[in-house]
Amino acid sequence: MSDPKTVIQQLFNRLHWLVKLRWLAAAGVFAVVFGFSQIFHPRYSVLPLYAVALFLVAYNGLIYAALLFFRKISYSSANFLANFQIFIDLTCLAMLIHFSGGVENPFGFYFIFHVIIAGILLSRRAALFQTTYAALLFLGVAWSEYFNLLPYYSLGIASLELHHQPGYLFAVSFVFISTLYISAYMTTSISHLLKDREKGLMKANQQLNEKDRIKSEYVLHVTHDIRDDLSAIQTCLEPVEKEVIGSLNKLQADLLKRAQSRCEQLIRYVNALLDITKLKLTRQLTLEPFSLEIMIESICDSVRPLAESKNISFHVRTDLKEPAVKGVRIYLEEALLNLLKNAVRYTRPAE
Amino acid sequence: MKKKILVVDDDQDFKAAISILLEAKGYEIHQASSGAEGFSKARLEKPDLILLDVMMTHRTEGFDIAQKLHTEETTKDIPVIMVTGISKETQVFFKYEPDEVWLPVKEVLEKPVKPEALIKAVEKHVR
C-alpha cells in the first residue's frame, strides 16, 4: 500500500468520474439544443451545436476505451490525460457558447465548474493554466464577436445586441474572469489541504503497521525464550514426578503432579501464542513483483566462492518463461540461500 | 562396568535433568556445553552414546558436530541421539530422518522429551 500507487489509483478513479460526467454533459447539450430550437426557432442553424455534442460523445468514447484498456497507468500519463480532457472540454464549451449567442448565452457560467474540476484534479500550476485558458477563451469569443473577427450567432431571444456594447462587455469580462480565478484558487486550496491530510494519514498508517510488525517480532522472540524455559522446567519435573529417581510420598506426588500439569498447560498457551504471532506476521507481508532471474544470480554469486573453495563445480542454468514473479522476496531469497548453502556445506569436496 | 553417556547441550537445567535421570538409571554421565567441547570429550572419553542438542552457539551446530563425529576415526562408531526443539522453533514440521551422510544419528527426539521415551531410546541405541 505504497503512497504513489494510491495517488495514481485516486486520479484514475477521478478520470472515470470525469467520463461519466461528460456522458451527462453531452446528453444535456442534445436535450437543451433540441428543446431550445423547438421552442424558439432560432435564426441560425443549430447544426454546429449538434456537431460539437457529437464530437463530445465520440471523444468521450475514446477516453473511456483508453481507461478500460490501460488499467495500469503511470502517474504522469494519468495526469496528462486529465489535463488533456479539461483542455478539450473547455474548447468544446467555448465553441458551444460561440455558436449560440456568445456573451448573450448564460451557459457561459459553465466555465466556472470546469475550472472547479481542474482545481480538484490537477496540480496548482496546471489548474492555473487551465483557468487562464478558460479566461482567454471567454475573452476571445466575447471580443472577437465585438470586433467582428468572428461571426455573431444571435440567440434570437433578446434583441439587446449585448455583444456590441463595450461597457457591458467590460463589466462581464471583469466579473467573469475574477469569478474564474477566485473559484480556481478556492478549489485548489481546499483540494491541496485534503491531499496533504490524506498523505499524512497514509504515512501515519504505514508507520503504525511497521510498529505493529516490530512488536509482533518482539513478542515472537520473547515467546520462544519462554518456551525454552518451560521446556527445561518440564524436563526437570518429569523424572521426579514419574519417580524415576526415587519414590515420592502421596502429598509430594500430588503437588508435583499439579505443577507438572500447569506447566503443560502453559506450554500449550505459549505454542498457541507463537502460532498466532507467526500468522499475524505472515499476514503483514506484502506481495511484490520481482525478478527471479536477478535474485537467483545474486544468491549464486554469494554461494559460488564457498563452492569453489571446496572444489565443487557450480553451474547456474535458468530457462524462465516468466522471469518476474509475485511474492515475498526476502523469504524466498532466504529459503533458496539456505538450501544452496547447506548443499555446498554438506557436500564433500572433490578429491 | 557402567555405560558412559555424553550429554551435549547449552541449556544447563536441561542437561542437569537428563543427567540425573540417566544416572538414576545407572549410567555414567559426562557433560559438555558446546559442540566443540562435546567433540573433544567424545574423543577423550569414548562414550557409549552421545545425546546431542542442535541449536547451541549457532543454529545448526548439532548437525555439524554429528557429521564431524561420523567422519572422525575414533568417534565414528559412537551412536548419537539428537534431542532438539528445532522443528518447533523453525515451524518446520517434517521429521528428521536419520541418514548415513546427511544426518548420521540413530534417532531424533523432540524437546521437551518424556523420560520414558528418552530412556527407551537410550537403552535401544547404547553400545
Side-chain angles (χ1 to χ4, degrees):
Chain A
M1 199 186 59
S2 60
D3 194 355
K5 223 195 254 169
T6 332
V7 174
I8 291 177
Q9 191 54 45
Q10 243 172 28
L11 187 56
F12 202 66
N13 291 344
R14 283 181 179 153
L15 289 178
H16 270 288
W17 169 69
L18 207 56
V19 167
K20 259 184 223 160
L21 280 181
R22 198 172 296 109
W23 292 127
L24 283 177
V29 172
F30 274 118
V32 168
V33 172
F34 181 75
F36 174 80
S37 58
Q38 289 304 305
I39 298 165
F40 293 102
H41 305 289
R43 275 179 284 159
Y44 296 98
S45 164
V46 291
L47 278 180
L49 298 176
Y50 281 131
V52 173
L54 270 179
F55 171 77
L56 263 181
V57 170
Y59 126 87
N60 204 32
L62 270 177
I63 301 278
Y64 182 66
L67 286 183
L68 281 188
F69 189 72
F70 301 107
R71 286 185 178 282
K72 290 263 161 71
I73 195 168
S74 72
Y75 183 74
S76 61
S77 43
N79 209 13
F80 170 79
L81 205 58
N83 262 304
F84 172 77
Q85 288 184 66
I86 289 166
F87 188 83
I88 300 285
D89 287 342
L90 286 170
T91 314
C92 285
L93 180 62
M95 282 167 76
L96 287 172
I97 298 292
H98 165 62
F99 287 118
S100 58
V103 277
E104 265 174 30
N105 192 335
F107 279 102
F109 284 109
Y110 278 22
F111 274 111
I112 293 167
F113 78 72
H114 281 81
V115 161
I116 290 175
I117 289 175
I120 295 170
L121 285 182
L122 306 178
S123 70
R124 212 167 247 178
R125 184 181 299 203
L128 182 73
F129 169 79
Q130 298 282 10
T131 308
T132 306
Y133 179 59
L136 287 176
L137 282 172
F138 183 81
L139 288 177
V141 169
W143 292 94
S144 302
E145 288 178 13
Y146 174 77
F147 289 115
N148 290 322
L149 297 172
L150 281 175
Y152 160 65
Y153 300 97
S154 169
L155 275 176
I157 318 163
S159 47
L160 293 170
E161 299 285 311
L162 285 175
H163 71 289
H164 262 309
Q165 305 196 5
Y168 174 77
L169 276 186
F170 269 117
V172 163
S173 298
F174 175 75
V175 173
F176 189 82
I177 284 155
S178 54
T179 311
L180 276 189
Y181 278 103
I182 291 167
S183 307
Y185 170 73
M186 287 177 168
T187 320
T188 47
S189 301
I190 292 171
S191 98
H192 275 81
L193 203 70
L194 285 177
K195 272 181 201 162
D196 285 350
R197 196 165 295 171
E198 206 168 8
K199 264 185 207 160
L201 277 176
M202 246 178 323
K203 206 174 162 195
N205 197 24
Q206 260 173 353
Q207 281 170 343
L208 264 179
N209 273 337
E210 178 61 15
K211 275 186 187 150
D212 194 42
R213 196 184 57 77
I214 291 170
K215 199 199 72 195
S216 292
E217 269 171 9
Y218 177 72
V219 170
L220 199 65
H221 198 78
V222 171
T223 319
H224 269 308
D225 290 349
I226 293 176
R227 215 205 35 210
D228 284 349
D229 289 339
L230 284 173
S231 175
I233 292 174
Q234 208 185 22
T235 315
C236 290
L237 283 179
E238 266 190 319
V240 185
E241 194 240 324
K242 295 267 159 64
E243 301 188 319
V244 185
I245 38 176
S247 56
L248 300 167
N249 69 37
K250 218 178 159 196
L251 292 175
Q252 288 168 333
D254 179 57
L255 284 179
L256 258 177
K257 201 171 180 60
R258 285 167 194 274
Q260 170 74 14
S261 85
R262 292 297 276 267
C263 187
E264 264 172 25
Q265 180 65 29
L266 212 51
I267 288 179
R268 275 197 291 275
Y269 280 147
V270 166
N271 280 340
L273 184 60
L274 273 179
D275 289 345
I276 292 167
T277 317
K278 282 200 170 154
L279 204 68
K280 209 175 150 202
L281 274 172
T282 8
R283 285 220 183 115
Q284 280 169 346
L285 297 171
T286 41
L287 300 181
E288 47 172 9
F290 61 90
S291 161
L292 260 185
E293 219 148 357
I294 292 174
M295 193 186 81
I296 289 172
E297 254 171 49
S298 84
I299 289 171
C300 292
D301 283 347
S302 65
V303 177
R304 187 172 282 114
L306 187 65
E308 279 166 359
S309 76
K310 285 185 76 176
N311 212 5
I312 298 167
S313 69
F314 189 87
H315 302 286
V316 186
R317 221 172 291 150
T318 53
D319 182 19
L320 294 164
K321 296 251 154 35
E322 199 74 50
V325 293
K326 209 173 170 192
V328 184
R329 195 176 51 81
I330 44 166
Y331 278 19
L332 190 59
E333 200 171 286
E334 198 185 325
L336 277 179
L337 192 63
N338 272 335
L339 277 175
L340 272 178
K341 266 191 183 163
N342 282 336
V344 170
R345 187 135 52 107
Y346 294 114
T347 299
R348 298 216 181 90
E351 301 293 315
Chain B
M1 216 183 75
K2 276 185 175 178
K3 297 270 186 193
K4 263 196 250 179
I5 295 179
L6 176 62
V7 181
V8 187
D9 199 311
D10 61 342
D11 186 321
Q12 298 305 322
D13 297 318
F14 190 84
K15 207 162 50 187
I18 283 189
S19 301
I20 291 170
L21 173 67
L22 292 175
E23 266 166 2
K25 281 284 154 190
Y27 294 102
E28 180 186 326
I29 302 300
H30 295 264
Q31 299 184 353
S33 300
S34 71
E37 194 193 345
F39 183 66
S40 65
K41 280 204 173 161
R43 287 210 297 189
L44 202 71
E45 304 282 347
K46 302 206 174 44
D48 301 298
L49 182 82
I50 298 174
L51 288 173
L52 187 58
D53 183 26
V54 177
M55 284 186 289
M56 290 179 282
T57 36
H58 63 84
R59 288 170 73 93
T60 55
E61 191 173 7
F63 292 139
D64 298 341
I65 294 302
Q67 289 214 327
K68 218 171 146 192
L69 287 168
H70 188 63
T71 46
E72 171 80 18
E73 191 56 38
T74 49
T75 56
K76 73 177 181 6
D77 294 323
I78 304 173
V80 176
I81 294 177
M82 221 152 219
V83 186
T84 173
I86 197 169
S87 83
K88 271 280 171 55
E89 172 88 24
T90 54
Q91 289 249 319
V92 182
F93 289 114
F94 60 82
K95 263 202 163 144
Y96 286 95
E97 292 291 339
D99 168 290
E100 258 310 292
V101 180
W102 304 103
L103 193 54
V105 301
K106 295 291 178 196
E107 200 168 334
V108 182
L109 297 175
E110 274 295 320
K111 273 185 188 175
V113 56
K114 297 268 169 203
E116 310 88 336
L118 182 70
I119 289 164
K120 212 176 123 193
V122 167
E123 280 170 358
K124 187 175 163 195
H125 298 297
V126 73
R127 281 204 287 202

